[in-house]
Amino acid sequence: MREFGYERASDVSGAVAVLGADPEARFLGGGTNLVDLMKIGVERPARLVDVRELPLGEIEVTADGGLRIGATVTNSDLAAHPEVRRRYPALTQAVLAGASGQLRNMATVGGNLLQRTRCGYFTDVSKPCNKREPGSGCPAVEGEHRNHAILGASEHCVAVHPSDMGVALAAFDAVVEYETADGKGELALADFYRPVGDTPHLETGLPAGALITAVTLPPAPVAANSVYRKVRERASYAFAIGSVAAAVDVQDGVVRDARIALGAVASRPWRARAAEAALIGQPAEGATFAAAADAELAAAKPLPDNRYKVPLMRNLIVALLTELASEATR
């Protein structure tokens, strides 16, 4: 591991000032991803600015009935918060589906959104990787890609984003708040992650040196009837090979509102807008749910070894919508 400096930030303005002056510095939250990447040489910061003790650890109900979640709230505290459990149950389920209890006790909301892909070529510094070294190539396209992207990828990168939490946040239109030395800003989660294109190394729309300070969830009554389901290769803990966060409002047998986001299928949490559009105003029945899944997955471009993800995601979407519609009509 490269030798690095360390300091503990006492206020937000001081923390962002350090990164504004030193582009080789990194913010340190729980460190559950960053430190691992430092150990294997993928990340080589000259300095770490520890932000865990900044006053960003609260969850508050907003004036409009949504929630504002501080960036240093741990995953464990987020999952256990009574208002999260009541208003956005899929978010609690998504967080609890991620990692182990020990990791959730350390990991933070801001860090979770910024965690890097688990693609084996990205984490092996002896291999080329466009995300780690722009222009070096993407061996996953013709190599090991069983768990890689089927939506929104390019020939330059087919890695997927690993966050479970981010999938639920995407379904509920979360907004990311940040601060830089030039002031405060915000990004809708839909715009937070950049399309892969030919610049997979540019992962987010955050300005240089920005510190995530909070994530805001707008009020969404439909979210009270929501669920997150994750398919993984072992039950103890593992990254998803496919996941879905879904919420449905059914009245008089008709779908009045729907939110769907998919995980482990793209370089970012994938909001399933086509599926949502195919649901609204339609009978809450199996044929509708299957048509919605097909509408979303029509854009899928799987590689030879991850074709299984298309029927997997179709079955997962239909199963969750069926489950939610049943709950909504009880």
Side-chain angles (χ1 to χ4, degrees), residues 243-258:
S243 67
V244 176
V248 172
D249 177 29
V250 177
Q251 297 178 30
D252 301 324
V254 175
V255 178
R256 302 299 182 186
D257 195 1

